[in-house]
Amino acid sequence: GQNIDQPTEMTATEGAIVQINCTYQTSGFNGLFWYQQHAGEAPTFLSYNVLDGLEEKGRFSSFLSRSKGYSYLLLKELQMKDSASYLCAVRDSDTGGFKTIFGAGTRLFVKA
Amino acid sequence: GAVVSQHPSRVICKSGTSVKIECRSLDFQATTMFWYRQFPKQSLMLMATSNEGSKATYEQGVEKDKFLINHASLTLSTLTVTSAHPEDSSFYICSARELAGVHNEQFFGPGTRLTVL
């Protein structure tokens, strides 16, 4: 089976840096995604990691350690519009294909 | 990026009726589409994986006779909620995987908010 854990809520200040952690357990790991979701909207893709290390994309970076079953999403120079839920998702290989399982999400509040 | 559309975006129906939700990949072919359900302040729960031309694979606890999935073409999958009840009220989101994509990433539709009275 699969298990994905991430903090329920986090609060940070505009202009600061925040790190959202995610730990996972899966039988057939095939990649980890981070998505951003604003209330009432569908998730939007942020990052993808399949090998260990850091992937940087503008203000957003994502890190993966497969041996530790651990990832984090790093957001720099926080803006008010970054207030949203951040979903950690793991793609798991299954018989005949793959499926992506989502964590419960971390609600980030950015304050002025 | 690739675009996935859903129709309708919002539907209100009476208890006992059936509701059909369409999911289309607009500019790419998707042999696999996923259907998720999301309750308020909760994460996405995978309901089923839909493969073009074959039967859908349902997750444990999801009634296949209640949530009918059809994936008749490479760009269209439909989810029909049969005999809907108030507890079926939720945000239903489809996702399609682009096989030719760089990361085989999934693109999400905008979601359908279903309210059953």
Side-chain angles (χ1 to χ4, degrees):
Chain A
Q2 308 93 9
N3 190 44
I4 301 172
D5 289 313
Q6 52 183 130
T8 305
E9 288 185 0
M10 298 183 73
T11 301
T13 304
E14 192 175 18
I17 299 173
V18 70
Q19 177 174 313
I20 303 174
N21 296 323
C22 171
T23 57
Y24 65 89
Q25 292 176 314
T26 183
S27 54
F29 179 80
N30 198 262
L32 186 143
F33 298 85
W34 283 96
Y35 285 86
Q36 180 191 62
Q37 186 179 27
H38 286 98
E41 298 179 10
T44 54
F45 171 80
L46 290 179
S47 68
Y48 171 75
N49 295 70
V50 67
L51 300 176
D52 291 351
L54 187 69
E55 294 280 343
E56 297 185 80
K57 189 189 293 185
R59 295 191 298 117
F60 293 62
S61 303
S62 58
F63 172 83
L64 175 67
S65 169
R66 289 171 296 170
S67 61
K68 295 181 179 178
Y70 168 70
S71 173
Y72 67 72
L73 178 69
L74 194 71
L75 293 79
K76 304 175 185 176
E77 301 170 14
L78 279 174
Q79 302 174 10
M80 300 298 288
K81 67 178 182 179
D82 296 329
S83 293
S85 286
Y86 291 86
L87 309 177
C88 174
V90 174
R91 186 156 66 202
D92 191 29
S93 62
D94 200 349
T95 304
F98 301 95
K99 58 184 180 183
T100 303
I101 305 299
F102 285 78
T106 298
R107 295 183 71 196
L108 174 65
F109 299 94
V110 180
K111 58 182 182 180
Chain B
V3 178
V4 176
S5 71
Q6 265 183 259
H7 178 79
S9 59
R10 215 175 262 275
V11 58
I12 300 173
C13 69
K14 292 182 180 180
S15 185
T17 60
S18 294
V19 175
K20 179 187 279 188
I21 303 170
E22 291 187 350
C23 176
R24 293 180 185 274
S25 56
L26 297 187
D27 50 2
F28 67 99
Q29 294 185 330
T31 55
T32 304
M33 290 184 172
F34 304 89
W35 287 95
Y36 292 85
R37 179 167 54 181
Q38 186 176 36
F39 292 105
K41 297 187 179 181
Q42 296 185 24
S43 190
L44 282 73
M45 299 299 297
L46 180 64
M47 298 175 66
T49 301
S50 166
N51 295 298
E52 185 266 337
S54 63
K55 291 183 179 180
T57 303
Y58 290 82
E59 294 300 300
Q60 193 172 9
V62 179
E63 299 175 58
K64 62 180 181 180
D65 294 330
K66 180 168 182 64
F67 299 99
L68 302 178
I69 292 173
N70 183 279
H71 192 160
S73 77
L74 288 172
T75 59
L76 173 64
S77 176
T78 60
L79 168 68
T80 301
V81 183
T82 63
S83 187
H85 291 286
E87 57 265 30
D88 298 324
S89 298
S90 187
F91 192 45
Y92 291 86
I93 306 175
C94 75
S95 172
R97 189 167 68 221
E98 182 185 22
L99 291 179
V102 175
H103 302 310
N104 267 4
E105 67 188 80
Q106 287 179 227
F107 297 94
F108 286 84
T112 296
R113 187 160 301 283
L114 171 63
T115 303
V116 185
L117 302 176

